[in-house]
Amino acid sequence: MGDRRVAGCPCTSPSRSGSSGSPTSTGSSRSTCCAARGRFFLQTIPSGPMEPRFTRGKSPLLERVLARPRGDVALGAFALLFSELVQYCQSRVYSVAELQAKLAHLGYQVGLRVLDALVAREKNGRRETKVLNILLFVKGPLWRSLFGKEADKLEQANDDDKTFYVIERDPLVNTFISVPRENSTLNCAAFTAGLLEAVLTASGFPAKVTAHWHKGTTLMIKFDEAVIARDKSLEGR
């Protein structure tokens, strides 16, 4: 290993050097001398390859591109996690209505966290401004991101321009849930209803979403009056 020079070290000062200006025998042990004196000096780094700890690759997590879709979650893992979630809520309520409300509240929290990442991946950060477009976004990209497929149907009520239906014949959240006879009205898709309500509300389309047993499971979306009025004002733009 080559000789290292320590800038400002007294071992390399002219008073300790020979007539030719090179370090004396005292200067040849300057590293030990300086360390023994308890003094520290700026040291030049010798040329050559850097140590592996400085060239180690970056963390894959930090290098992950936001636009890259995330991998699928194992169905068994999802079933176990969701069943535990339902049991957790069930132990803290006294009626089916309270259980569905609690599931909807938890789903709402998930929806708020899903939206930003999904919009960045699917829409490059661009938000929808019309009711039909946000509903198609829900039926397509949102459902594919959550459940691996599009929603089965999207319909509008015949007598109410504020009401729409997202229909799932066999929703994933109900597939592995065994409902006792005394709680036959329980629909765990209330969790999905809360999630969908959060996505719509955070997107600028305030709505109330509820889950019902109809054609399998139907999520009924009822938009606020202001949303429909704004949508009509945007027609033709």
Side-chain angles (χ1 to χ4, degrees), residues 73-150:
V73 176
L75 186 58
F78 169 80
L80 176 62
L81 179 61
F82 190 73
S83 65
E84 290 294 325
L85 178 67
V86 174
Q87 292 179 60
Y88 170 84
C89 294
Q90 188 176 14
S91 66
R92 287 161 172 76
V93 298
Y94 299 97
S95 67
V96 172
E98 289 180 350
L99 176 55
Q100 291 190 152
K102 198 165 188 66
L103 287 172
H105 174 72
L106 293 176
Y108 194 96
Q109 303 305 313
V110 174
L112 292 176
R113 290 159 175 78
V114 164
L115 179 62
D116 286 338
L118 187 60
V119 169
R121 290 183 185 128
E122 300 289 340
K123 309 289 290 184
N124 291 324
R126 178 176 171 272
R127 300 295 181 103
E128 299 295 350
T129 58
K130 295 187 177 181
V131 170
L132 179 58
N133 291 341
I134 192 64
L135 290 173
L136 292 176
F137 174 77
V138 165
K139 182 179 183 295
L142 177 64
W143 238 249
R144 283 196 302 270
S145 174
L146 295 174
F147 307 116
K149 69 178 189 67
E150 289 192 2

Side-chain angles (χ1 to χ4, degrees), residues 214-234:
H214 179 67
K215 298 181 180 179
T217 291
T218 296
L219 302 180
M220 184 173 71
I221 305 169
K222 189 174 282 292
F223 288 106
D224 288 358
E225 290 279 0
V227 173
I228 302 304
R230 182 186 65 196
D231 197 60
K232 291 180 178 178
S233 69
L234 293 174

